[in-house]
Amino acid sequence: MARKLRIQYPGAIYHVMNRGDRREAIFEDDEDRQRLLQTLTEACQKTGWQVHAYCLMRNHFHLVIETPQPNLVAGMKWLLGTYTSRYNRRHKEFGHLFSGRYKALIVDGSGNGYLKTVCDYVHLNPARAKVLKAEEPLSAFVWSSYPQYLAAPARRPNWLRVDRLLGEWGIPKDSEAGREVFAERMERRRGEDLVGEFKRVERGWCLGGEEFRQELLEQVDTRSGPSHFGEAVQEAEGVQAERLVVTGLKRMGWSEADLKARRKGEPRKVELAAELRSQTTMPLAWIAERLNMGSRGHLAWLLQQRGASGHSGPTDQCLLRI
């Protein structure tokens, strides 16, 4: 199965989620939940992580973590492996506890509201899952960081950082008055229709503005191999391919209008198609459409004719892998 690439850099923020194997429970009781929090405490001590939000449901958990050092992968390996070992020892079980690889959504921490969106998603999870009754306050669910936000700083774990989320809510101070404002606003938010806003948290590989997305794509190594292919790699391949097209047009002195006006089998189009084929993994259908060269099959024939006429190379050896 293709895996999503892990993009790591100092100061990155992630929404991490993982479920139990076959959606089975990862917490049998409150002692298990406390054990996970203790393991998280140790992980933060080892890695320097700062946690902005967490929520422990019966068969899955959510974390919003900031990594001052680029160590998400190493830290999550230790956290999941250690908790699994402790769970198995306690319950006399063995084997996998979690279902495959964890999901890690990269979050824009620029202060433009993306951290607020993902933390609200985590804190509202018990209400949205109807674990809480309508008349119960959000703080009644004790296995999330939300009640910790309403507590005095001395009563919170030292790895829980509240200032950035409060700041995105426009609450300048972690005071009793500020915490009351936060609670009032969260209870109001609970009644809002958030399906559209939260869809971006549940899908895709990053949550942020277009500039943030493009900066991340620059970090993606598209040569990482099949085991790392995911949405980020595919998108990065598209960006790389588009860059090659723009560079090729500039080299030929063509405009986009020229590209559309020239015939499908124009030799310079074929050369550019061959370049795209050899330097990216974009499918023939994409190349044919982008260069206005007709169907995928027609482009394959053009490239084959190019190879037969003496333009041999890596591209022609695999041009029929459509």
Side-chain angles (χ1 to χ4, degrees), residues 134-272:
E135 64 274 13
E136 291 182 299
L138 286 172
S139 57
F141 187 83
V142 299
W143 298 107
S144 96
S145 50
Y146 178 74
Q148 304 279 359
Y149 269 80
L150 306 185
R155 295 174 55 193
R156 301 183 194 129
N158 58 14
W159 41 260
L160 181 63
R161 182 177 178 182
V162 306
D163 61 308
R164 294 193 65 172
L165 175 57
L166 294 179
E168 291 205 3
W169 269 103
I171 300 172
K173 191 175 180 181
D174 179 16
S175 62
E176 184 175 354
R179 293 189 288 271
E180 288 178 1
V181 170
F182 179 62
E184 291 170 2
R185 292 180 179 176
M186 283 298 293
E187 288 295 342
R188 285 202 300 269
R189 189 147 166 76
R190 179 180 178 177
E192 296 173 2
D193 181 2
L194 301 171
V195 173
E197 181 179 346
F198 286 168
K199 184 179 293 184
R200 292 186 64 193
V201 178
E202 297 171 338
R203 300 179 183 179
W205 60 275
C206 74
L207 180 68
E210 185 57 30
E211 183 178 354
F212 176 73
R213 188 184 194 90
Q214 292 301 321
E215 289 175 355
L216 292 177
L217 287 171
E218 292 294 330
Q219 299 186 46
V220 176
D221 183 359
T222 57
R223 300 164 299 173
S224 297
S227 64
H228 289 288
F229 267 56
E231 292 173 77
V233 174
Q234 292 168 10
E235 188 169 345
E237 280 284 359
V239 171
Q240 178 186 344
E242 188 61 35
R243 190 180 297 121
L244 286 173
V245 172
V246 172
T247 301
L249 291 178
K250 185 177 181 180
R251 183 176 63 243
M252 294 185 294
W254 286 11
S255 65
E256 287 288 342
D258 292 323
L259 189 63
K260 293 179 180 179
R262 301 276 180 167
R263 61 189 179 88
K264 295 180 176 64
E266 158 71 45
R268 282 176 288 183
K269 277 191 181 184
V270 179
E271 290 297 323
L272 184 53

Side-chain angles (χ1 to χ4, degrees), residues 75-88:
M76 286 302 298
K77 181 179 179 180
W78 186 89
L79 174 66
L80 297 178
T82 302
Y83 177 71
T84 297
S85 296
R86 292 172 177 177
Y87 177 96
N88 285 345

